[in-house]
Amino acid sequence: MREVVEDIKTGKTPSKNENKYYENGVLDWFKPSEIGEGKYLKSAKDKLSQLAVDTKQATIYQPGTLLVTAIGDIGRLAITTDVASSNQQITGIAFNKQVLPEYAYYYFLAFRAFFYTDVSQTTLPIVNQKKITSIPFILCSVKEQKATIDFLSAIELITLPEEVGQLNNLTNDSELLEVAKGIFATHFASAKLVSEFDNQELHLNQLRQALLREAMQGQLLPQDPTDEPAAVLLQKLQAEKAKLGKAGKRKQKELFAEETEAVEGPFEIPSTWSWCTLGEATSKIGSGSTPKSGYVGEGIPFFRSQNIYDAGLELSDVVYISKEVNQTMRGTQVLVNDVLLNITGGSLGRATLVTDLPNGGNVSQHVCIVRAELLASSFLHKLILSPYFQNLIFASTSGAGRQGLPKYNLEQFLVPVPPLAEQHRIVAKLEQLMQHCDALEQRIRESRRLAEQLLQTALREALAPPAGAEVSEEEAELELVEADAEPAAAPRRRGRPAKKAYQPGDHVEFGDLFSQPEA
């Protein structure tokens, strides 16, 4: 392939300790998870700054570059549509005028197994630039490439079984049409199954939301008349705040005194519950800031929005600040049992309960610490994840182009407060029910995996060459590649009629397959 490659280069990652390379991003910076979902790349999740470009901290790809994942799940492909960059797990290939990038894209989709021959096996499979440029490449004329692209692009646009007949206008090859129809029969069967599994997962997520909704309305469990009412707890807390001089102007007028009317909320709650604002139910609500001195290699974990997930902290790409910097940011130091809430961007509303913090922690300006006082921390976490609270968040966001939740709005959210004992019972019941939901989800995913395996088996058998057919050099080489890349499989049944074997040089007439049929 080196004869048709004009340029090949691998991406890079600027130092994560230097915020200046990532602030005010102007250049799309793709990662492997964004490669392989479609033919063309549009916008990357992360971007690099102009400074990263000017100081050559970024690999620059021009539009029409084929990006290939070269580490881990190697051979995933996509084409750039604008000037872009990537991290070091991706290699970009720019072809000369003899090769259209879309043709190369389809070619390597068909022969992805070539990437796995003699790859470097360390912790993860790695394919380097030398290996990529040594891959065999079947070259045909640009006209034939365009015909190939048109045919395969037309296949990608087919969404209904009755649309398969449109392929008759793009090829004269009856066997090719027969194979295409067989593939689409499998595809539509697969799509039907996938739709069914998607519906099951959707219903399961709706069940989770319904459980949280009922829990926050006091409908999940029967009330225990022996529980101390939440109003009493609220009065005790207010009195304690007044005694400590923390009630401010409310010191002389207790909000929850017996003669004060109960706060009315947006829905009915049990008589032993009460309404109050989130600010009154917590001892702290506040977000952090970006450390001026930047990040360090090790030290105190600094949690950003990408580290906050409902199920817990994701620490695979956590950054660190020094102990000295952490001391200057005492107001946003994280404690065990804090709830961390994302208050900006695409992950707005995601929240995690901190259950383990061996090395301490601090937060960025995109993450808010919510520290419980009237509420059990585990109950507060469930409350924030509930449909009621999530609706409050998204109804209160502000900010041009980037949603943001102001601290004042958050403090004023009305929240239902059950008796403390009932809070613990609700959390225990929710966790039990969510475990059942997780088990159901695992069964759905396993059923999906088995169904996909069966469909892939049917597809391989539909494409299997006939028994006794001659095998060309190119096909033989590919068979060896696949044998090296995959475990040995049982002999395949042969169902297709005999066909003249492909011979070296036949690609010169490849375009004849895609010529318009004569009238």
Side-chain angles (χ1 to χ4, degrees):
M1 193 178 72
R2 62 177 58 88
E3 296 175 7
V4 294
V5 172
E6 185 173 284
D7 190 21
I8 182 169
K9 47 193 173 185
T10 299
K12 59 178 69 172
T13 298
S15 173
K16 289 291 186 69
N17 295 330
E18 299 289 344
N19 296 335
K20 59 188 179 182
Y21 294 139
Y22 300 91
E23 294 175 339
N24 303 316
V26 297
L27 180 69
D28 285 320
W29 187 60
F30 291 102
K31 292 180 284 188
S33 60
E34 299 170 279
I35 307 296
E37 296 302 319
K39 189 191 308 180
Y40 297 109
L41 292 169
K42 294 181 180 179
S43 179
K45 178 181 178 182
D46 297 320
K47 299 181 187 296
L48 300 180
S49 67
Q50 186 61 48
L51 179 64
V53 177
D54 295 340
T55 56
K56 299 183 178 180
Q57 296 297 311
T59 298
I60 307 299
Y61 306 122
Q62 296 302 315
T65 299
L66 181 67
L67 300 191
V68 182
T69 54
I71 298 178
D73 186 13
I74 60 179
R76 292 166 63 90
L77 307 162
I79 301 171
T80 60
T81 56
D82 202 348
V83 176
S85 60
S86 75
N87 71 6
Q88 69 277 10
Q89 295 175 283
I90 297 170
T91 294
I93 309 169
F95 292 91
N96 61 27
K97 295 181 180 180
Q98 299 180 79
V99 178
L100 300 175
E102 289 82 1
Y103 175 78
Y105 171 83
Y106 286 123
Y107 180 83
F108 288 118
L109 276 183
F111 297 106
R112 185 180 179 185
F114 276 130
F115 288 108
Y116 282 88
T117 57
D118 303 320
V119 296
S120 173
Q121 290 285 353
T122 54
T123 304
L124 292 172
I126 299 173
V127 57
N128 57 31
Q129 295 180 16
K130 182 178 179 181
K131 170 59 188 173
I132 291 174
T133 56
S134 68
I135 290 175
F137 190 78
I138 299 177
L139 179 64
C140 56
S141 71
V142 171
K143 180 180 179 181
E144 291 170 330
Q145 291 179 41
K146 288 180 177 178
T148 305
I149 294 166
D150 289 344
F151 183 80
L152 296 175
S153 296
I155 285 179
E156 290 179 335
L157 295 175
I158 292 175
T159 58
L160 298 171
E162 54 267 26
E163 294 174 349
V164 177
Q166 297 173 8
L167 300 179
N168 293 326
N169 300 322
L170 294 172
T171 180
N172 288 319
D173 190 290
S174 59
E175 187 172 1
L176 181 62
L177 283 173
E178 180 187 343
V179 171
K181 290 175 181 178
I183 291 173
F184 274 108
T186 303
H187 166 74
F188 289 124
S190 174
K192 185 176 180 180
L193 282 173
V194 168
S195 177
E196 177 61 30
F197 289 130
D198 286 345
N199 285 335
Q200 290 178 7
E201 291 184 343
L202 174 62
H203 293 155
L204 191 56
N205 287 332
Q206 291 173 341
L207 173 60
R208 288 189 174 102
Q209 294 300 301
L211 291 172
L212 286 169
R213 184 183 301 108
E214 290 192 1
M216 299 310 141
Q217 294 178 358
Q219 299 176 3
L220 188 66
L221 293 171
Q223 274 63 56
D224 187 340
T226 64
D227 286 341
E228 181 181 71
V232 175
L233 182 61
L234 293 170
Q235 292 169 17
K236 289 179 179 178
L237 177 62
Q238 189 67 18
E240 184 65 24
K241 283 184 176 182
K243 186 184 299 183
L244 296 174
K246 294 182 179 180
K249 294 181 180 180
R250 295 178 181 173
K251 183 174 181 180
Q252 303 302 322
K253 180 182 179 182
E254 294 185 11
L255 178 63
F256 299 108
E258 291 183 3
E259 64 271 14
T260 303
E261 292 185 5
V263 177
E264 291 189 9
F267 51 81
E268 290 189 7
I269 54 176
S271 59
T272 55
W273 292 33
S274 294
W275 287 98
C276 72
T277 65
L278 186 65
E280 293 162 341
T282 56
S283 61
K284 178 179 181 59
I285 295 178
S287 58
S289 60
T290 300
K292 295 180 180 179
S293 59
Y295 306 134
V296 296
E298 57 182 21
I300 306 300
F302 186 73
F303 304 126
R304 300 170 293 168
S305 56
Q306 58 262 51
N307 303 122
I308 309 303
Y309 282 85
D310 296 345
L313 289 169
E314 170 53 59
L315 302 179
S316 61
D317 64 344
V318 72
V319 294
Y320 300 91
I321 57 175
S322 66
K323 293 181 179 179
E324 293 73 21
V325 170
N326 186 52
Q327 284 302 310
T328 67
M329 301 172 67
R330 286 190 294 270
T332 53
Q333 290 178 356
V334 181
L335 304 179
V336 171
N337 290 326
D338 280 349
V339 176
L340 305 184
L341 170 65
N342 284 353
I343 55 174
T344 66
S347 61
L348 175 71
R350 233 162 44 196
T352 191
L353 174 63
V354 179
T355 57
D356 185 33
L357 206 64
N359 300 311
N362 217 303
V363 294
S364 75
Q365 69 271 30
H366 304 299
V367 180
C368 183
I369 298 172
V370 185
R371 189 165 294 156
E373 191 164 35
L374 282 173
L375 302 170
S377 297
S378 53
F379 180 84
L380 174 61
H381 182 230
K382 303 295 187 188
L383 170 63
I384 290 176
L385 297 181
S386 70
Y388 166 67
F389 200 95
Q390 290 290 308
N391 288 338
L392 290 177
I393 289 176
F394 284 94
S396 303
T397 54
S398 62
R402 184 176 176 87
Q403 291 178 313
L405 177 61
K407 175 184 175 182
Y408 175 79
N409 290 15
L410 187 57
E411 290 175 333
Q412 299 307 308
F413 287 172
L414 279 178
V415 296
V417 181
L420 187 59
E422 187 174 352
Q423 292 178 35
H424 292 295
R425 293 198 298 272
I426 288 173
V427 170
K429 187 63 176 179
L430 278 174
E431 289 181 348
Q432 179 188 31
L433 293 171
M434 293 302 179
Q435 285 178 359
H436 288 305
C437 290
D438 292 342
L440 283 172
E441 184 175 33
Q442 184 60 36
R443 289 171 60 184
I444 291 171
R445 290 180 176 177
E446 180 64 14
S447 297
R448 181 196 290 264
R449 185 187 67 80
L450 292 174
E452 288 175 348
Q453 279 186 348
L454 289 172
L455 289 167
Q456 288 298 320
T457 300
L459 181 59
R460 282 197 299 270
E461 295 205 1
L463 295 174
E470 298 178 19
V471 180
S472 69
E473 294 177 8
E474 285 84 355
E475 290 175 330
E477 183 173 0
L478 183 57
E479 289 287 342
L480 289 174
V481 170
E482 291 176 339
D484 290 338
E486 300 177 359
R492 297 177 295 185
R493 287 178 293 177
R494 311 291 185 169
R496 286 175 51 196
K499 177 186 176 183
K500 175 180 176 293
Y502 173 85
Q503 296 297 328
D506 281 358
H507 59 270
V508 175
E509 301 172 359
F510 190 57
D512 292 343
L513 291 175
F514 304 100
S515 59
Q516 296 292 331
E518 296 180 3

